[in-house]
């Protein structure tokens, strides 16, 4: 869907250009403006949970990068279909890792 592709593009742009908390706050506003409230709240809950899992990576071996590999295909699902999935996976992984690592700022 168009909204998801727009968000993926914005996240891609911000991932490569984030250099301050100001940029993270801009990302926060974009997500809040573009997502329906129920989707925003669900993403917030999920990312906070994944962040807590990553905080215990010394026990469970699930750093944010590992969690991103597992959850990126679901969170950043492509509208095109499975043939496009593998080509987008590295970007999706980086974006979900960013969201996990910065969720306390983005979803405060």
């Amino acid at each position: 869907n168009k909204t998801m592709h727009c968000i993926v593009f914005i996240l891609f742009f911000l991932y490569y250009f984030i250099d301050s908390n100001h940029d993270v706050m801009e990302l926060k506003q974009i997500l809040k403006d573009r997502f329906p409230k129920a989707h925003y709240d669900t993403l917030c809950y999920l990312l906070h949970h994944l962040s807590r899992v990553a905080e215990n990576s010394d026990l469970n071996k699930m750093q944010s990068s590992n969690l991103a590999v597992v959850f990126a295909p679901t969170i950043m699902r492509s509208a095109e279909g499975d043939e496009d999935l593998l080509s987008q996976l590295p970007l999706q992984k980086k974006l979900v890792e960013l969201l996990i690592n910065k969720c306390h700022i983005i979803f405060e």
Side-chain angles (χ1 to χ4, degrees), residues 55-101:
E55 288 171 4
N56 292 298
S57 64
D58 56 328
L59 300 173
N60 61 31
K61 309 298 185 219
M62 291 302 287
Q63 297 91 356
S64 59
S65 59
N66 294 343
L67 292 165
V69 167
V70 173
F71 285 91
T74 301
I75 294 173
M76 305 293 289
R77 189 171 178 173
S78 173
E80 273 80 46
D82 291 340
E83 68 279 351
D84 198 36
L85 182 65
L86 290 178
S87 67
Q88 293 182 5
L89 191 56
L91 172 60
Q92 291 172 345
K93 179 202 166 286
K94 288 178 183 179
L95 295 174
V96 171
E97 186 175 355
L98 170 73
L99 290 170
I100 292 169
N101 290 334

Side-chain angles (χ1 to χ4, degrees), residues 12-79:
F12 172 77
F13 178 81
L14 289 174
Y15 175 80
Y16 284 103
F17 294 100
I18 281 182
D19 59 2
S20 69
N21 280 343
H22 178 293
D23 294 334
V24 173
M25 297 307 287
E26 188 175 336
L27 171 59
K28 174 183 180 173
Q29 195 59 46
I30 290 168
L31 289 173
K32 213 167 205 180
D33 292 346
R34 299 275 182 172
F35 272 43
K37 182 169 177 13
H39 296 183
Y40 180 87
D41 291 346
T42 302
L43 185 63
C44 173
Y45 184 84
L46 176 62
L47 291 171
H48 274 93
H49 173 70
L50 295 177
S51 177
R52 285 190 301 275
V53 172
E55 288 171 4
N56 292 298
S57 64
D58 56 328
L59 300 173
N60 61 31
K61 309 298 185 219
M62 291 302 287
Q63 297 91 356
S64 59
S65 59
N66 294 343
L67 292 165
V69 167
V70 173
F71 285 91
T74 301
I75 294 173
M76 305 293 289
R77 189 171 178 173
S78 173

